[in-house]
Amino acid sequence: MLLSAGVVVVSAGSGDDEGDGGPEFAAIPKISKNHLAAAFAPAIQMPRKCDGLVSRKTAAKVAPQAKAAKISGLSASDRLGCVWRSNDQARDVGGKKRVLQAFVTRSESVPGAMESFRQERDMAYTFFKNKTNVEDRRRPKPESLTGVGEEAIYYGAETWGAHSYVTVVFRVKNITVKVEYFGEDHSGGRLTLPPMESLRPRVFAAAVDAARNLGSTAGAEPKITKPAGGTPPLGKLPGPCGLVTKATLDKLGGPKPGTPVHKDRNLGFGKGLQSGTEIASCEWVQEAGLGGFTAASIRTPDEVPGIGADIAKRRHWSRFPVSQDNKNFSLLRGPGEEASIRSLDYENCPTRPRDRGCAELSFRISNVLATVWYAGRTKDGEYLSYDQMARRAYAVATDVARSMPR
């Protein structure tokens, strides 16, 4: 059998489909361990001192003659706040006042830090969209950055009677950093606002320095760029009980027609979902309790460009074990843009019969995360092995993915 690079076919074990008197199901194509390895990146520690985040050399260029000081109330095992103030008396004696601030948040995992970054990005876009501050002279739309950490954004404003400021928020593994830079110019008792463009190189320099000190291979100069492309967001989920073809259902033993899952059943999608989130789910059960499966999809609205796909990705990654070495977890080469499969014990299986647990296959297409849970027995009443359940879940998931509107 010819296989493309990086693909491994799961071989059937002693309880494979060939020996259960039923039809054969395709082997599941696993992918190499390094795919999505960022989700399993080892956690890094917080810097303990402000000089360990932004070096004295860089701080001296950004905020001349300023000394680093921790912001009270933020120095903890998972948070750090630092400030560098230059010419604090500028309002009274004239000159330029510059303030550099950095706020660091440490999460226990990479998906946790991704969620922290998403929240910062959401706030920036929401503030821009609402335009609630009438004193703003300029407030451009937030922009994506490359060259600082693994993901980053840049935004700022010029505010009448106050100051100009620019901000970079970036993530390195499980650490999220927000770097802010403020500027005021005073002359003859008058305040003028330095243009954002004059402050941007300095906040970039501080952000790059901080990213490098956290172990990132940051570039010499960040670049403003458009968000990475991908599958366009899906606007509406299809009817959940029509996603699996008759051919697949017949091969699975002809379960009863699917019935929608009650909205109150716990499918592991969590509570407090974003407004506009859509969930569609269906359950198929075979006669005499021989088998059954549940397929569910959750769609997050794309209110901010790219945010729906980000949330779906984080929702998927949250199901990953701490280590890729978990024997009951595998990353897959499809369906969708990313996929994984794992075994669940009976207490966590939402489908029936679940006496011996089930196989759970999840995949993402843009802003939709779909999951299939499969459990059951052979026609002779023997419980299916994990490999047999996994193959059947893969057949169902392939149909679900093909049924998603493009």
Side-chain angles (χ1 to χ4, degrees):
M1 181 180 293
L2 295 176
L3 302 176
S4 60
V7 177
V8 180
V9 172
V10 182
S11 61
S14 57
D16 63 16
D17 290 316
E18 295 178 0
D20 67 9
E24 293 186 33
F25 288 84
I28 301 174
K30 293 183 179 180
I31 62 176
S32 57
K33 292 273 187 178
N34 61 356
H35 183 69
L36 293 183
F40 300 97
I44 56 178
Q45 299 302 312
M46 286 271 292
R48 304 301 343 138
K49 297 182 179 181
C50 295
D51 290 340
L53 180 65
V54 178
S55 67
R56 294 181 181 180
K57 181 179 180 181
T58 299
K61 294 179 180 178
V62 176
Q65 299 179 340
K67 291 184 178 181
K70 288 186 178 181
I71 298 176
S72 61
L74 293 179
S75 298
S77 60
D78 58 351
R79 299 184 72 192
L80 174 67
C82 300
V83 61
W84 295 259
R85 289 189 176 90
S86 175
N87 197 6
D88 235 356
Q89 293 77 39
R91 186 179 296 273
D92 301 318
V93 302
K96 296 181 179 181
K97 176 181 178 179
R98 298 292 182 264
V99 179
L100 174 68
Q101 294 184 159
F103 301 90
V104 187
T105 301
R106 181 185 185 275
S107 302
E108 290 299 321
S109 65
V110 171
M114 293 175 72
E115 177 63 19
S116 178
F117 176 83
R118 181 190 68 79
Q119 291 174 0
E120 289 284 353
R121 189 182 71 171
D122 283 0
M123 287 190 291
Y125 272 100
T126 299
F127 198 36
F128 163 79
K129 183 178 179 181
N130 292 343
K131 297 184 182 296
T132 55
N133 192 344
V134 297
E135 295 182 345
D136 284 348
R137 183 173 74 177
R138 290 178 60 203
R139 181 176 292 278
K141 185 177 180 179
E143 298 178 283
S144 297
L145 280 182
T146 58
V148 188
E150 293 158 45
E151 51 185 338
I153 58 168
Y154 162 78
Y155 61 95
E158 296 171 8
T159 304
W160 291 111
H163 50 246
S164 297
Y165 75 88
V166 287
T167 303
V168 171
V169 181
F170 68 89
R171 180 184 64 80
V172 175
K173 294 184 178 179
N174 60 305
I175 300 286
T176 307
V177 182
K178 183 177 185 178
V179 182
E180 298 178 323
Y181 189 53
F182 301 83
E184 301 174 9
D185 291 347
H186 298 268
S187 178
R190 296 181 58 189
L191 166 67
T192 58
L193 300 179
M196 291 171 53
E197 289 75 12
S198 68
L199 303 179
R200 187 166 64 190
R202 295 193 176 189
V203 76
F204 280 5
V208 167
D209 193 38
R212 286 175 177 164
N213 289 331
L214 290 170
S216 172
T217 55
E221 176 67 24
K223 293 183 180 180
I224 294 174
T225 183
K226 294 182 179 180
T231 304
L234 304 181
K236 186 173 179 58
L237 292 176
C241 295
L243 299 178
V244 184
T245 63
K246 183 178 184 301
T248 298
L249 293 175
D250 289 344
K251 192 173 182 180
L252 291 169
K256 298 177 182 178
T259 57
V261 174
H262 192 276
K263 64 179 182 179
D264 292 334
R265 188 192 294 188
N266 181 14
L267 296 175
F269 292 132
K271 299 180 180 179
L273 300 175
Q274 180 177 338
S275 175
T277 298
E278 180 185 8
I279 297 177
S281 53
C282 190
E283 182 177 49
W284 292 258
V285 180
Q286 289 184 341
E287 297 287 352
L290 290 181
F293 61 92
T294 302
S297 302
I298 180 168
R299 183 190 68 84
T300 304
D302 211 45
E303 294 181 351
V304 174
I307 194 61
D310 276 358
I311 293 177
K313 180 183 294 185
R314 286 154 175 71
R315 200 170 267 132
H316 183 209
W317 286 24
S318 69
R319 300 185 175 191
F320 291 6
V322 175
S323 167
Q324 288 196 74
D325 295 331
N326 186 303
K327 65 180 180 180
N328 293 325
F329 172 83
S330 299
L331 296 166
L332 306 180
R333 187 183 180 89
E337 296 174 54
E338 56 184 59
S340 64
I341 193 166
R342 64 176 178 172
S343 64
L344 296 179
D345 58 32
Y346 74 94
E347 294 179 338
N348 295 309
C349 291
T351 197
R352 296 168 290 177
R354 58 182 187 179
D355 311 49
R356 297 290 181 90
C358 62
E360 177 193 78
L361 192 155
S362 298
F363 66 90
R364 181 183 67 83
I365 298 177
S366 187
N367 58 327
V368 172
L369 177 67
T371 303
V372 174
W373 296 270
Y374 199 102
R377 303 183 181 94
T378 68
K379 63 182 181 181
D380 298 323
E382 297 294 325
Y383 283 101
L384 296 176
S385 68
Y386 170 64
D387 182 71
Q388 291 170 327
M389 291 188 293
R391 288 175 179 234
R392 286 161 171 78
Y394 182 73
V396 173
T398 300
D399 273 8
V400 172
R402 289 171 178 166
S403 300
M404 288 290 174
R406 296 294 196 274

